[in-house]
Amino acid sequence: MKPIIVIPSRLASTRLPNKPLAEIDGIPMILHVALRAREARLGPVLVASGDATILDVLAGHDIEGVLTDPALPSGSDRVYAALQEYDPDGDHDVVINLQGDLPLIAPSSLASALRPVREERYDIGTLVAPVETQEEATREFVVKAACAFGAKQSIARALYFSRQTIPWGSGPLWHHVGVYAWRREALARFVSLPPSGLEKRESLEQLRALEAGMTIGCVAIDEAPLGVDTPADLIRVRQTFTS
């Protein structure tokens, strides 16, 4: 495999306006994420955005930006558009879509996301971490993955994703982490499809892939990195950097 990491980013966040430019320890959040991606040493790192202001903060850090159509409807569309412009000949056969609101993502986690796509039975790789508290289990911004790891099984097939607490009954719950490793042909197919019924109902893109019959393999990491969805999340992340 020859991976590339693409980070989609946009200013128009309803819960936290100008989120990518929010400073954490004196550095814009989008730059924190890009620098951690570069530390993974898996391949080139691109930031895909329809906002030139976001790309301006990359200057001098050896991270490339691709200006995409601001009208693109989703992060996956931005990733695919940037990939087609940067690598039109298809040299990179796997693309890691890293969400731009994970400034504490461990570089090693990005390599873990690649493990499912090394196997022919998976189109997409992603990450999950144990849900630790009842508040985390019920919080709508925490996406839960329905998957089950068997004995000595390091990859589990994703059966569903929801903002609700799933599955029912006793046993572990899994917090979905917003990192996807796509086979390039799977990403091309995905962006050609219209938004699906369950995707629109849950506001979760990955359900389009499942409804289309694509396979998603989950790899467990020890702890979900703090993401930034709200002003309160931003305060928590800033406190983590200064503690």
Side-chain angles (χ1 to χ4, degrees), residues 108-206:
S108 59
S109 294
L110 301 181
S112 295
L114 289 171
R115 288 169 54 195
V117 292
R118 294 183 188 278
E119 301 185 14
E120 291 186 3
R121 58 187 172 139
Y122 292 111
D123 300 302
I124 307 161
T126 195
L127 302 173
V128 296
V131 170
E132 302 289 352
T133 66
Q134 183 60 26
E135 187 277 334
E136 185 181 5
T138 58
R139 190 181 183 205
E140 68 173 283
F141 298 132
V142 174
V143 177
K144 275 68 70 173
C147 62
F149 291 87
K152 298 182 180 179
Q153 183 182 10
S154 61
I155 301 172
R157 182 169 179 169
L159 300 178
Y160 194 68
F161 297 88
S162 181
R163 299 183 185 277
Q164 294 294 316
T165 304
I166 56 169
W168 180 257
S170 61
L173 298 175
W174 295 103
H175 179 151
H176 181 230
V177 179
V179 177
Y180 300 93
W182 291 86
R183 294 184 185 276
R184 187 159 177 163
E185 62 272 20
L187 179 58
R189 181 186 172 208
F190 177 85
V191 298
S192 74
L193 298 171
S196 67
L198 291 174
E199 173 189 3
K200 290 186 285 187
R201 185 168 177 173
E202 293 256 22
S203 295
L204 295 174
E205 271 192 316
Q206 60 269 44

Side-chain angles (χ1 to χ4, degrees), residues 84-105:
Q84 293 298 94
E85 180 174 334
Y86 179 83
D87 181 31
D89 296 329
D91 189 38
H92 295 282
D93 57 348
V94 174
V95 55
I96 297 175
N97 178 340
L98 171 60
Q99 302 304 304
D101 56 8
L102 294 173
L104 294 169
I105 188 74

Side-chain angles (χ1 to χ4, degrees), residues 6-22 28-31 33 46-55 57-58 66-79 97-102 141 163 203 205 228-229:
V6 184
I7 307 167
S9 185
R10 66 190 183 104
L11 292 177
S13 170
T14 55
R15 293 186 291 268
L16 184 58
N18 297 327
K19 180 168 71 170
L21 303 180
M29 179 164 58
I30 187 63
L31 185 55
V33 177
L46 305 180
V47 174
S49 180
D51 302 291
T53 308
I54 291 176
L55 302 184
V57 306
L58 307 175
V66 176
L67 190 64
T68 56
D69 183 349
L72 289 172
S74 72
S76 297
D77 289 293
R78 278 186 285 280
V79 167
N97 178 340
L98 171 60
Q99 302 304 304
D101 56 8
L102 294 173
F141 298 132
R163 299 183 185 277
S203 295
E205 271 192 316
V228 179
D229 288 305

